Each structure stands twice: as C-alpha cells, then as structure tokens.
Amino acid sequence: MTLPTIDDVRAAKAEVSRLLKSHANFAGVGIGRKDDRFVVHVNWRALPEGLKLPERIGNVEVTHNVVGTVRPLSGGD
Amino acid sequence: MRLQSVRDLKLELAVEVFAPIAERLLERAKALNTRLGIVPPLQRLCIGIGKGARPGDFRLAVRLQSQSALLRDLVERIREKAGGEIDVAFIGRVKPLIRKPLKQRAKKPAEKPSAAGKPQESAKGVPADAAKVSPQELQKLHRPLTIGYSVGHVQTTAGTIGLLARHRKTGRPVILSNSHVLAQSGLAAPGDEVTQPGKLDGGVATDQVAALLDFVPMKTEGSNLVDAAIAVIDDSVAIDAAAIPGIGAVTIVDGEPILPGQQVMKVGRTSAFTQGEIMVTELDDVAVDYAGVGVVVFDDQIEIKGFPGIPFSREGDSGSLVVNTNNRAIGLLFAGNPDLNDGTGLSFANPLGKVMTALDLVTL
C-alpha cells in the first residue's frame, strides 16, 4: 500500500470529523504520526460504546485515543 | 513559491521521500542482522524555508552536512519534487558554539531517577542548565521579569510568564500568558492588576508588575484558536527578555515547522524544565472545561506527550512557552490532562504564530 500524502491525511481528517464530530465523547481530531507515517489521530473523552470506529479512510490509518477531561492548567483552578 | 506551498512541500517530503528511505534502511539492517541507526544518514540533511528571489517569495532550503551518494540522490529527488525551486548548500558538521567549563568536560552526567523510578534517558537538545531550574525558584518574586516565572491576575490563581514581547499598536512591552492566567478567561477588565508571583504563590497587590491590556475573547459557540492575554509592564519594572532559565536564548521564526514526532521543551512555574514530543498537530475540536465560562472548543492545536516518563506540564504551567530543539518558540501551553498515560499526561498548546497575530505582538 502506498504511503498517504499529507493531502490524503488532511482529506481523511475532514472525513473523520464529519463522521464522528457529533458524538458526545468526541474530543478532537488531528494529524498524528505512527511508524514514520502520518495518520489521522482521534481523541475521545472515553471510548464510545456500540459505535464502530473507523480504522482507515482510504489509505490513511485512523488511531483512537482516550484523553479524559482536558482542563486549563493554571494553579488555582 | 508561497509560504504555505513550501510548508506543504516539506510535509510531503517527510511522507513521500524520507519515510520510505528510513523504512528501506531499517529493512536492510534487519536483513543484515545488524544494529543500524536509521536516522544518522538522514540527520546529515536538513530542510527549511528559505527566502525566494522577491519579498514574499519562498523556496525550500536544503542544507547538507555530508556529501554521500545517498544524500546526493536524495537532493535530486527533492529537487524533482519541488519543481527545481530549491536552495542547496553544504554546511558541514554543526557544533554548538559554547565552551564548557573545564570541570564539566570530563564529567559523565549522573543518571537521576525519574518520577516513575526509571533512569532518565538522554535526549537530543537537553540544555546543560536545565536541571538547575527549580519550581521553588520559579514561584518566587523575581526581578527582572523573566520568562518561566509565576504570574497571575491579582484575584486568582497562578500561571507562567510565556513571553516578554512588544505590543505593536502601543509600542509597549507586555507579558504574554494565557487569558485564564492574566484575564480570568475573559471575565477581567482591562487595567486589572497582574502580579509576579501569582496569587497562589503569595503575590499581592504590592507585587503588581503589569496591568491587563488585552485578551482574546473565548467563545462558547463555535471554535477558538488561542487562550491568550497580554498585560502592559509598568515602566518601573525591569525585564530580561533575552533568555529562558535553563533553556537559554530563544527565537521566533515565522514558518517554523510544527510536526508530529518533534521534541519540545518548556519551563513552567510548577514542573520547571520538562521535555515532550509533539503527538498531534492541526488538532481540531479540543474541548476544554473552563471554570465560570463553560466548555470552550479550540481548533488547530498542538498535542504534546511528556518525555521521558513524566508529564510535560502540570497545573500552574499554563502560559509556558513551548520551544523546539532548535530553541525556536512554537507554542503557548494552555491545557492538558496530567493524569493520563500512567502519569505521562497530555498537554495542549496554541501555535505561537496565531497568538502573536491575534494580540498584535512582535519580539522585543
């Protein structure tokens, strides 16, 4: 399989966003790296149950990661 | 070429040219059953963004530290990919322009256990003075004002001085940090007192060093790009904008690439000097829970994982400047979840270029 170009990854990112953005636990989508190739990186507050997560969009791999609750990092919060 | 075209070209080269070569080197090493560093041959070639023939015109800059056949072949492939618009130069081996004190020359650095009890790994770009910067020092009252020290709105919290810059419109020197550090996430009023150290570190009204000048409003509907604010520094307060303690002099370069896999570092009020790796770029839909404001969503962010084995940031590090191993500032730390990944945590930063633009800042 050919390596995806950066345009492939950006297009796949847009497609993943379209597919998953409305889910309550969705926490972000960006461009990550795995084994010297770029991938679509999806963040979840918690992995959703009962939802089949895409592992690939075309020739672009999609990785799923749990980030919990993200908060500002000032000392008094 | 346009700047964005050169940036895109750099990313394409990483995926389409460098990655396949790295894979081939790895396969060859496996076949020969030898331990081969994949990177060294490729480390002898650097690519960046260079000036073009006219103002506003850019082209890919290729710099070679070796003249091996592999690199010559690689340059031809880059030239082909770029349509010929590249600037190639042989620069030889690059060394740091410092002279270590005699005592340090023969001294092997002692391994120190990390928070996880494992010895710290050596990493590219660790400044020699990094270990000298302690959280206790960074939380003290400190003059002249210096990047990395505690700061905050007089009524709340403490964060970190990210940058000492100049506000283009007024010409005044300012402190840059997050809006939730200097401006109560947009709930404060221009002119409010900013103290060094921040309130959490004992800062009171008499420790005022600046007054809130501007902040980027946070929208709870739609997306945001930065969590940033500036405070104009009192004329009577001395500043030292030249360097970050433990890191040294830092520059800001328009167009500095921000890519997954790059190593970065920061000095912050709580965890002092730490290193990390950029895990994700162009990260959209990052939802952050702000007390008193609600959930705010950010686009085009940078995600960073701590390295080695300790969080990149903790509460109080908000506003820290994120710097790459070329000592170029690339981001403004603002959020995270330090409890993830067995304590390594995740941190998020705004791209610094967007912060500088949003608040109309230039370097001092």
Side-chain angles (χ1 to χ4, degrees):
Chain A
M1 182 174 290
T2 58
L3 284 170
T5 66
I6 192 67
D7 287 336
D8 292 337
V9 181
R10 288 194 175 119
K13 177 189 153 193
E15 176 66 8
V16 168
S17 179
R18 190 186 66 78
L19 289 170
L20 304 177
K21 191 173 179 174
S22 61
H23 196 283
N25 283 341
F26 180 74
V29 59
I31 298 175
R33 187 174 129 165
K34 184 179 176 185
D35 300 334
D36 289 326
R37 69 188 65 195
F38 293 116
V39 299
V40 173
H41 179 113
V42 182
N43 283 341
W44 297 94
R45 283 182 199 84
L47 280 176
E49 292 180 11
L51 180 67
K52 180 160 173 51
L53 300 176
E55 296 177 351
R56 189 168 286 282
I57 300 286
N59 63 341
V60 181
E61 189 175 348
V62 183
T63 63
H64 297 271
N65 311 273
V66 175
V67 298
T69 300
V70 177
R71 56 187 185 273
L73 291 176
S74 55
D77 290 338
Chain B
M1 296 173 77
R2 289 183 308 166
L3 183 58
Q4 189 58 47
S5 302
V6 184
R7 287 176 178 158
D8 290 346
L9 177 61
K10 286 185 69 186
L11 283 170
E12 283 180 31
L13 288 168
V15 172
E16 297 177 14
V17 177
F18 291 106
I21 290 173
E23 283 183 1
R24 280 208 304 277
L25 289 170
L26 180 61
E27 288 304 316
R28 193 185 305 166
K30 283 179 182 169
L32 295 172
N33 197 25
T34 58
R35 185 164 176 245
L36 174 69
I38 301 170
V39 178
L42 298 180
Q43 268 188 335
R44 302 286 173 254
L45 183 149
C46 330
I47 56 174
I49 297 172
K51 288 192 290 188
R54 300 174 304 279
D57 184 37
F58 300 89
R59 59 182 172 165
L60 194 74
V62 181
R63 299 292 177 262
L64 300 168
Q65 295 187 24
S66 146
Q67 294 178 319
S68 69
L70 171 71
L71 291 188
R72 283 201 299 271
D73 175 56
L74 201 50
V75 169
E76 287 315 307
R77 295 180 63 183
I78 292 170
R79 194 188 303 278
E80 188 181 327
K81 189 85 187 161
E85 291 189 60
I86 63 172
D87 161 27
V88 184
F90 175 71
I91 58 173
R93 296 295 292 271
V94 178
K95 296 174 184 173
L97 293 174
I98 56 170
R99 182 177 171 84
K100 290 179 182 173
L102 286 172
K103 277 192 296 187
Q104 291 183 14
R105 286 190 197 159
K107 190 176 173 184
K108 188 179 175 184
E111 284 189 341
K112 293 179 182 175
S114 69
K118 298 174 184 172
Q120 288 189 350
E121 299 166 22
S122 62
K124 182 185 169 191
V126 181
D129 292 338
K132 296 179 186 169
V133 185
S134 71
Q136 293 77 17
E137 171 63 23
L138 296 171
Q139 292 164 21
K140 287 180 182 170
L141 184 147
H142 181 84
R143 305 291 181 272
L145 285 183
T146 303
I147 296 170
Y149 279 78
S150 169
V151 74
H153 185 278
V154 68
Q155 291 176 3
T156 49
T157 199
T160 298
I161 297 175
L163 192 65
L164 299 167
R166 187 175 303 283
H167 185 235
R168 194 193 313 257
K169 188 175 175 184
T170 61
R172 300 290 303 276
V174 295
I175 295 170
L176 168 68
S177 189
N178 295 134
S179 172
H180 75 268
V181 172
L182 299 181
Q184 297 181 306
S185 306
L187 302 175
D192 278 3
E193 298 152 298
V194 168
T195 65
Q196 193 294 312
K199 182 180 180 182
L200 198 70
D201 298 320
V204 293
T206 51
D207 299 319
Q208 180 180 355
V209 291
L212 182 63
L213 179 65
D214 195 11
F215 54 82
V216 179
M218 290 187 187
K219 298 177 288 185
T220 52
E221 299 287 333
S223 67
N224 299 263
L225 292 174
V226 301
D227 172 352
I230 50 175
V232 64
I233 300 168
D234 290 356
D235 290 337
S236 61
V237 176
I239 60 175
D240 177 6
I244 304 177
I247 290 181
V250 168
T251 55
I252 299 173
V253 178
D254 189 25
E256 181 71 8
I258 304 173
L259 293 170
Q262 288 177 336
Q263 282 188 26
V264 291
M265 53 194 163
K266 72 102 190 62
V267 169
R269 167 263 181 206
T270 305
S271 57
F273 176 85
T274 57
Q275 290 177 277
E277 179 183 344
I278 295 179
M279 304 303 292
V280 190
T281 58
E282 301 180 35
L283 181 63
D284 298 335
D285 301 305
V286 181
V288 183
D289 294 320
Y290 285 88
V293 175
V295 175
V296 179
V297 175
F298 292 86
D299 282 349
D300 201 17
Q301 301 302 300
I302 305 164
E303 181 182 300
I304 302 162
K305 184 178 177 181
F307 171 88
I310 54 174
F312 186 64
S313 64
R314 292 187 179 280
E315 285 88 349
D317 288 331
S318 265
S320 301
L321 199 64
V322 179
V323 177
N324 69 17
T325 50
N326 296 321
N327 273 34
R328 289 180 176 164
I330 59 151
L332 188 71
L333 189 98
F334 78 108
N337 184 345
D339 305 323
L340 280 174
N341 300 324
D342 296 327
T344 301
L346 275 184
S347 305
F348 297 89
N350 308 142
L352 189 63
K354 290 201 162 45
V355 174
M356 301 289 279
T357 301
L359 289 168
D360 196 20
L361 299 179
V362 292
T363 52
L364 274 172

